[in-house]
Amino acid sequence: MKPDYDEVGLWSEMKLEIERDYATEYSRIMSKQRLTHIYIDAFAGAGIHLSRTTGEFIPGSPLNALMVDPPFKEYHFIDLNGSRTEQIRELAGDRADVFTYEGDCNTVLPSQVFPRATWAKYGRALCLLDPYNIDLSWDVVVQAGKMGTIEIFLNFMIMDINMNVLRHDPGSVDPVQIARMNRFWGDESWRNVMYDNTGNLFGWDEKVAGNEVLAEAYRKRLREVAGFKFVPVPVPMKNSIGRTIYYLFFASPNATGHKIVEYIFNKYRNKGAA
Ligand SMILES: C[S@@+](CC[C@H](N)C(=O)[O-])C[C@H]1O[C@@H](n2cnc3c(N)ncnc32)[C@H](O)[C@@H]1O
């Protein structure tokens, strides 16, 4: 099989390090308890990437997770692209603790994977929600939050939102893009966060807020609507010219997880990319 991989920038390498560091701590702590802790990579990718900085191959999040010691009890990797799930299967060899799914994680997670991490089954899960864009349904995030057993890392793809949804004139936005945003956000309340019609005589909607305000409003929703008890301020992942590509969020029902991620996030906060 011809290897399939993405070329990634320094911000992706930082994200991979953050997630790897936390997965290692998480598995170490959970292994000491009588719980079934599982790892879920919902937008798993190919398992390896080509580093734009060094030109070398580097492990993607699935491979990093498979190398965590002590290991998770189960690994669940989902990708829409069948050649990528196949590649992960090859990387995993004959490990019986690895499950791969070719499909849309917005349907696979609620139907096949989250039910393995219920309170009744003494399940716990660390779930990565790492899309290229905003094609992640808020319903999935809410289900994870309400279960009380799942911790998530989530890429809040502000670049996709800025390019396709948050125009100065909201009337010029393609309805398809509005529908994507509503699905990602869970309703239309992002409009009230970003637009106001009281600043002009004509009652036109005008964009009045920026990236940080939108990210903070999403953080509030993770706590107040999805029900995650702990949501640290996300880390802005920036490209070489300092533009934020996405915010890396963590959300958890667990105070210890929160404390560890705060510590890791603070090491990387505002580092940006070289
Ligand atoms: C940013 S890459 C994942 C990178 C990987 N998590 C890592 O850090 O190594 C996003 C992946 O999501 C997959 N994808 C896109 N939409 C999806 C969906 N709805 N469900 C599952 N996978 C999806 C793409 O095929 C792509 O491989």
Side-chain angles (χ1 to χ4, degrees):
M1 186 176 61
K2 190 172 167 285
D4 180 8
Y5 53 82
D6 287 332
E7 245 185 75
V8 296
L10 196 56
W11 61 89
S12 295
E13 296 189 41
M14 268 168 54
K15 175 211 69 179
L16 286 163
E17 278 175 31
I18 290 172
E19 291 170 346
R20 185 202 55 207
D21 289 356
Y22 182 62
T24 306
E25 277 303 296
Y26 179 92
S27 193
R28 190 181 61 75
I29 294 168
M30 290 294 173
S31 296
K32 291 186 187 145
Q33 301 175 37
R34 294 171 62 175
L35 296 166
T36 301
H37 69 296
I38 70 176
Y39 174 88
I40 306 168
D41 217 327
F43 297 82
I48 51 163
H49 304 294
L50 189 62
S51 162
R52 218 171 277 150
T53 326
T54 62
E56 313 245 314
F57 282 106
I58 55 165
S61 53
L63 201 49
N64 277 339
L66 288 169
M67 291 191 287
V68 162
D69 184 29
F72 287 76
K73 300 271 170 35
E74 293 175 4
Y75 294 84
H76 297 266
F77 298 111
I78 309 165
D79 204 286
L80 260 186
N81 179 335
S83 74
R84 295 196 157 187
T85 47
E86 200 185 317
Q87 191 162 304
I88 291 176
R89 265 264 52 107
E90 283 190 10
L91 290 171
D94 56 6
R95 283 178 69 157
D97 53 354
V98 174
F99 301 82
T100 53
Y101 310 78
E102 176 186 348
D104 181 351
C105 68
N106 292 295
T107 53
V108 175
L109 285 171
S111 59
Q112 297 183 64
V113 183
F114 285 169
R116 299 181 80 97
T118 59
W119 204 266
K121 289 181 180 156
Y122 299 96
R124 295 292 184 275
L126 176 62
C127 175
L128 267 54
L129 298 166
D130 180 21
Y132 293 129
N133 51 38
I134 56 168
D135 293 334
L136 164 69
S137 165
W138 174 248
D139 292 348
V140 169
V141 176
V142 171
Q143 189 185 355
K146 301 276 184 227
M147 283 177 67
T149 54
I150 300 182
E151 309 192 6
I152 61 170
F153 280 104
L154 181 153
N155 292 8
F156 183 87
M157 300 304 294
I158 193 71
M159 205 145 154
D160 183 16
I161 296 173
N162 279 329
M163 277 171 65
N164 295 304
V165 185
L166 297 179
R167 299 272 167 76
H168 275 280
D169 169 15
S172 69
V173 181
D174 181 343
V176 170
Q177 299 299 341
I178 303 231
R180 287 177 70 229
M181 184 67 185
N182 290 346
R183 177 174 181 247
F184 173 71
W185 193 267
D187 59 27
E188 292 201 11
S189 59
W190 54 272
R191 285 178 184 277
N192 307 332
V193 177
M194 297 307 289
Y195 293 98
D196 182 44
N197 64 9
T198 58
N200 59 71
L201 289 176
F202 309 100
W204 289 331
D205 272 338
E206 290 177 312
K207 187 162 171 259
V208 290
N211 292 351
E212 297 287 325
V213 172
L214 192 69
E216 184 54 31
Y218 192 79
R219 179 171 172 233
K220 191 161 177 257
R221 283 178 69 73
L222 286 170
R223 287 198 307 253
E224 296 177 5
V225 184
F228 287 103
K229 257 189 172 155
F230 302 97
V231 187
V233 174
V235 181
M237 293 296 184
K238 298 180 181 177
N239 65 9
S240 53
I241 52 167
R243 188 163 293 158
T244 302
I245 301 189
Y246 60 88
Y247 289 91
L248 181 63
F249 272 98
F250 174 74
S252 167
N254 177 335
T256 308
H258 175 251
K259 220 170 110 192
I260 298 169
V261 170
E262 278 274 30
Y263 175 79
I264 300 174
F265 270 9
N266 285 338
K267 279 201 307 192
Y268 289 90
R269 217 171 273 291
N270 296 320
K271 240 180 164 181

